[in-house]
Amino acid sequence: MDYAATGQDALSRIEGAGDLDTLEALRVEFLGKQGSISGLLKTLGKMTPDERKEEGPRIHALRESVTGAIAARKDALESAALEARLAAETIDLSLPAPETPRGSVHPISQVMDELAEVFADLGFAVATGPEIEDDWHNFTALNMPETHPARAMHDTFYFPDRDEKGREMLLRTHTSPVQIRSMIEKGAPIRIIAPGRVYRSDSDATHTPMFHQVEGLVIDKGIHLGHLKWTLETFLKAYFERDDIVLRLRPSYFPFTEPSVEVDVGYSQENGRRVVGGSGDAPGHAWMEVLGSGMVNRRVIEAAGLDPDEWQGFAFGTGVDRLAMLKYGMDDLRAFFDGDVRWLSHYGFSAMDVPTLSGGVGTPA
Ligand code: 2NL
């Protein structure tokens, strides 16, 4: 039998199918269970072997070509449908985009990043440690034995229970224990800053029971006050982004440093805002304390397991919250921790505003 006519007819009807439904109907008509080509295949069973040898390949070839034609037509119809949809569905790029709520970086986080950046350039690594401390790391190792009056001055939050080793536990009152732990773990030489939360039972307009501190520590050979002075001057100039920062070092007392030095910077008042810069002795200027520091007390070096005749160093500490207020002009510390989004959207920073040394650090959002 000659299937050419059947084939021609099927192929031209498939080619002429105008939509997917019509094509599906044709597929059922030719290839479905009751389909015409399926019917031809069934006739093979009733043929003699010779007939089957003759007809089999022809019927199968017919089925192949119809199957292929249906698939090709299906592809063509589907891409035509997609083309039509793409042509019909235009996007109006002038429509306003839906508003995306966007958070901002808290000034304290921003300032901590800036401090890490400035000190990284001076070769300091960032060290962190637990906020729940034992009293040895928070006090004893820092030359504040049990009866030391400075312990009372710290307004410490103590936990009611001791730890499993019987040690009194507390919320760290400064980040110094981080430096003690770093010295014990890493030894000397060492150059680190320790930024983080600290806690004191104190609450008024200028004090919150939780605040942020950054301390710095350098331990090496032959370290002296000149290194301390240069480092703090370089840090303050980079942080405040001004070359006219003038420092005044005043003798002071901390149990963990000897000698101890308080660092003031000159400032003036502009539109009711403190602006750091110039000598505090210049007309219209005054001095303001920004840092406590000193040469690390040899007893502290010893407590950290190092030989104070071999290793010396300096340390310093300052309040991150106050540094942020001074640089970015906030006047109420308590607003830092109120979580008011209006305050944050005013004083917060863009998450993309990564501090860099070449581009300056910190531009308010
Ligand atoms: C301040 C003063 C200071 C330190 C912190 C320190 C740490 C170690 C050894 C010696 Cl491990 N000293 N830290 C030294 C001097 C001053 O902080 O006014 N902080 C807010």
Side-chain angles (χ1 to χ4, degrees), residues 169-310:
M169 300 301 285
L170 46 83
L171 290 175
R172 69 181 183 194
T173 58
H174 46 191
T175 60
S176 313
V178 175
Q179 284 137 291
I180 297 292
R181 289 176 181 280
S182 300
M183 277 190 276
I184 292 172
E185 274 167 35
K186 302 203 164 64
I190 196 168
R191 236 186 287 179
I192 50 170
I193 58 166
R197 297 191 182 104
V198 300
Y199 302 84
R200 295 186 195 183
S201 179
D202 200 351
S203 188
D204 58 37
T206 54
H207 297 88
T208 48
M210 184 279 301
F211 58 102
H212 299 80
Q213 209 189 21
V214 61
E215 287 200 13
L217 174 74
V218 170
I219 301 281
D220 211 322
K221 289 183 177 171
I223 298 294
H224 54 73
L225 266 177
H227 298 117
L228 178 154
K229 189 184 175 211
W230 181 88
T231 303
L232 296 184
E233 185 174 326
T234 304
F235 150 55
L236 290 169
K237 285 179 174 176
Y239 173 71
F240 286 111
E241 298 175 49
R242 296 180 69 122
D243 275 333
D244 65 345
I245 305 285
V246 181
L247 272 60
R248 181 176 75 172
L249 306 191
R250 268 182 303 112
S252 182
Y253 173 78
F254 300 109
F256 26 85
T257 46
E258 182 61 34
S260 300
V261 178
E262 257 160 339
V263 180
D264 301 336
V265 292
Y267 73 95
S268 59
Q269 207 88 23
E270 280 172 31
N271 308 317
R273 247 191 83 174
R274 285 182 179 193
V275 176
V276 173
S279 164
D281 293 328
H285 283 60
W287 295 105
M288 163 177 50
E289 185 199 325
V290 289
L291 287 156
S293 65
M295 302 308 295
V296 180
N297 191 307
R298 52 185 291 124
R299 291 187 176 195
V300 175
I301 293 177
E302 231 158 6
L306 298 171
D307 177 358
D309 291 322
E310 190 181 354

Side-chain angles (χ1 to χ4, degrees), residues 93-147:
L93 293 174
S94 69
L95 284 174
E99 198 140 317
T100 325
R102 222 186 277 179
S104 58
V105 175
H106 196 286
I108 290 172
S109 307
Q110 176 73 20
V111 166
M112 294 237 207
D113 287 352
E114 293 178 16
L115 295 171
E117 188 74 33
V118 168
F119 278 107
D121 203 40
L122 300 176
F124 287 68
V126 172
T128 55
E131 293 178 17
I132 296 173
E133 268 295 0
D134 57 80
D135 78 357
W136 189 85
H137 286 95
N138 195 78
F139 290 127
T140 314
L142 288 144
N143 192 31
M144 288 187 266
E146 236 139 88
T147 55

